[in-house]
Amino acid sequence: MKVRDTARQERLYNMYKTFFDNAEQERRWNPLRDVPYDKINKDAPESLITVAETFCCVESYLPDYVSKGINVVRPYFGQAWFSANWAYEESKHSVALMEYLLRFGRRRPTQMFDL
């Protein structure tokens, strides 16, 4: 498929570069090093743990969203890379939630991987 709207492509790519640069400078975080797990309430009620587990489940659909969505925008460089970047950021949420549940012994690894 040949994409002909070069001006639109260039605008999208420039918007992506601006977004990417800002994210790199201001918002990048590591779910294994930057979350203050030592300050999190280890005695949270089971209802809160269930909420964390539920959101971890929602995040597990990320590959489905990405595999379908990125093919739609693949011809557009800026949009495709924005989708890839979004997926990367979302994957970190999944890691943070799983780490929270595992580090405090609220879920066992077998429970999380069976989930």
Side-chain angles (χ1 to χ4, degrees):
M1 174 180 171
K2 186 174 180 178
V3 178
R4 295 188 175 113
D5 189 352
T6 305
R8 181 175 180 261
Q9 293 255 7
E10 187 175 352
R11 281 192 311 274
L12 287 170
Y13 176 62
N14 286 330
M15 288 170 65
Y16 172 72
K17 284 192 313 185
T18 299
F19 166 82
F20 181 83
D21 187 47
N22 187 45
E24 289 295 311
Q25 295 296 317
E26 313 234 349
R27 292 192 310 270
R28 291 293 184 226
W29 60 285
N30 182 312
L32 300 176
R33 290 192 302 263
D34 297 332
V35 176
Y37 293 106
D38 60 324
K39 295 180 181 173
I40 294 173
N41 181 4
K42 295 176 178 135
D43 300 316
E46 186 60 29
S47 59
L48 183 61
I49 301 306
T50 299
V51 169
E53 184 179 65
T54 300
F55 278 99
C56 197
C57 289
V58 169
E59 296 290 352
S60 75
Y61 283 98
L62 179 64
D64 301 305
Y65 303 141
V66 174
S67 67
K68 304 297 185 220
I70 206 158
N71 287 328
V72 172
V73 296
R74 181 63 186 105
Y76 308 101
F77 185 81
Q79 284 180 294
W81 284 109
F82 179 84
S83 294
N85 199 295
W86 171 81
Y88 164 72
E89 185 66 25
E90 290 300 311
S91 73
K92 294 190 296 183
H93 301 162
S94 211
V95 171
L97 289 164
M98 189 176 287
E99 286 297 310
Y100 166 71
L101 294 165
L102 294 173
R103 286 181 188 218
F104 298 123
R106 300 307 291 263
R107 297 294 184 266
R108 295 183 311 277
T110 53
Q111 289 175 298
M112 295 308 300
F113 293 114
D114 286 346
L115 188 62

